[in-house]
Amino acid sequence: QVQLVESGGGMAQVGGSLRLSCAASGDINRIWKMGWDRQVPGKQRESVARMTDDGDISYGDSVKGRFTVTRDNAKHTVALQMNNLEPGDTAVYYCYAAIRMNLDPRTVGYWGQGTQVTVSS
């Protein structure tokens, strides 16, 4: 089975920075997309950033210019550098990966357990 283990997060002041990291493990053949979603209680989960294994990147409108996603294809890891944080960035952040396992032709989406990010003024 696949595991996505997140680290980082915590608390920051407005204008500050935090970094999230995530590592995928399992009998993985290919990770097509990796990235991050976030969710505030009572609201829909939103996509924050996605990066394909050939380098295409997309960001949610609210984080463009402030957040940067990077990944290491060989290590199956993805990171999110969050700068110039705003109170609206407060949420639980979930690592996401679209993975094809060995001996399985399907590509399936997986999420980590989530890590809290709190931005205070």
Side-chain angles (χ1 to χ4, degrees):
Q1 289 295 335
V2 169
Q3 269 199 314
L4 298 179
V5 178
E6 297 138 337
S7 60
M11 297 186 65
Q13 299 283 334
V14 170
S17 299
L18 286 172
R19 182 177 179 84
L20 306 180
S21 298
C22 173
S25 62
D27 192 17
I28 296 169
N29 178 277
R30 178 192 180 196
I31 302 180
W32 172 47
K33 279 188 180 181
M34 291 190 88
W36 299 87
D37 295 344
R38 68 186 182 187
Q39 188 168 24
V40 175
K43 293 189 176 182
Q44 273 194 318
R45 189 172 295 188
E46 65 169 329
S47 175
V48 174
R50 291 279 190 275
M51 187 171 182
T52 67
D53 55 1
D54 60 1
D56 287 339
I57 297 175
S58 62
Y59 293 101
D61 288 340
S62 62
V63 307
K64 285 179 181 176
R66 301 186 298 120
F67 290 10
T68 302
V69 64
T70 56
R71 64 182 283 183
D72 185 322
N73 292 335
K75 295 181 178 179
H76 298 328
T77 59
V78 65
L80 185 69
Q81 179 66 39
M82 304 183 291
N83 297 329
N84 195 18
L85 285 162
E86 303 170 350
D89 296 320
T90 296
V92 177
Y93 284 71
Y94 297 89
C95 177
Y96 168 80
I99 297 174
R100 186 173 74 214
M101 305 293 286
N102 286 321
L103 304 180
D104 186 344
R106 301 171 300 163
T107 297
V108 178
Y110 297 87
W111 282 266
Q113 78 283 0
T115 184
Q116 177 70 45
V117 170
T118 302
V119 182
S120 60
S121 56

